[in-house]
Amino acid sequence: MLKEILDKNTCAACRICCSFVEADAWETPVFTSAKIDYKKPWFKCIGKNSHTLKFFFENDKEIKLCPYLDERTGCTLKGEEKPVDCKMWPLRVMKKRDGLYITLAPICKGITVEHIPKLKEMLDNGLREEIMKNLVDDMVKEYEEEYIIIEKI
């Protein structure tokens, strides 16, 4: 969704969005593809038609990688298998008391506040509709203060 401004090589070098510590396990992507094998121990059903990765941590410093990340070649999921959370990262739909917001994760070094004007242009040119069309309730997270609000939707 963000290939226009997010360089594939930047993502390949970083992969922070594919690794989790216990404190940020709430960030794990929501899967909705029927092509994914949900009978694996790392999946947990959280909605009617969606599943999320469930990690079991030994301690608060342990880092878990997405089981679909190949450290040499990147994500092994193709097309429709890839969660919308992953496709739209570092954007996230978050909720506050007064509604839903499209936000930017501050941890991503590939898209920064300097990209916000371009992101707003992309949202106006169809990205917002694409995100909303693919959004499932389980993907909407409670707003976290460090996230940068791009717009209320």
Side-chain angles (χ1 to χ4, degrees):
M1 286 182 182
L2 301 173
K3 291 177 184 173
E4 191 175 324
I5 58 174
L6 188 55
D7 182 61
K8 189 175 183 175
N9 293 326
T10 301
C11 289
C14 176
R15 298 182 184 160
I16 197 162
C17 57
C18 303
S19 60
F20 305 91
V21 293
E22 191 169 20
D24 65 13
W26 66 273
E27 293 263 23
T28 58
V30 174
F31 289 76
T32 57
S33 172
K35 296 177 182 177
I36 299 295
D37 182 2
Y38 295 124
K39 294 182 179 92
K40 301 285 185 183
W42 57 73
F43 277 111
K44 174 181 148 190
C45 182
I46 60 171
K48 196 177 211 177
N49 296 309
S50 61
H51 295 74
T52 190
L53 295 173
K54 173 68 174 164
F55 294 116
F56 301 95
F57 296 90
E58 298 294 320
N59 60 61
D60 62 353
K61 303 266 189 273
E62 183 181 16
I63 298 171
K64 295 283 189 174
L65 296 178
C66 175
Y68 297 104
L69 175 65
D70 180 301
E71 293 193 61
R72 290 171 293 133
T73 61
C75 185
T76 60
L77 297 173
K78 305 295 180 224
E80 294 301 312
E81 296 174 341
K82 190 174 268 192
V84 175
D85 280 334
C86 298
K87 290 178 184 178
M88 63 186 258
W89 178 263
L91 298 181
R92 176 168 299 289
V93 177
M94 301 186 103
K95 62 183 168 188
K96 292 175 76 170
R97 278 181 278 163
D98 64 338
L100 297 180
Y101 292 82
I102 294 179
T103 65
L104 176 62
I107 198 166
C108 179
K109 304 302 180 218
I111 297 182
T112 63
V113 292
E114 290 80 29
H115 292 99
I116 289 178
K118 182 62 177 174
L119 284 169
K120 287 183 177 187
E121 179 185 318
M122 291 171 67
L123 287 164
D124 289 342
N125 291 327
L127 180 58
R128 182 183 311 102
E129 287 76 22
E130 188 175 354
I131 290 170
M132 297 307 291
K133 174 181 75 175
N134 293 294
L135 193 67
V136 296
D137 287 343
D138 301 322
M139 288 171 50
V140 179
K141 308 295 186 193
E142 292 292 329
Y143 179 69
E144 296 279 331
E145 289 296 322
E146 67 269 13
Y147 277 72
I148 301 157
I149 292 176
I150 296 180
E151 70 173 35
K152 185 176 181 180
I153 46 177

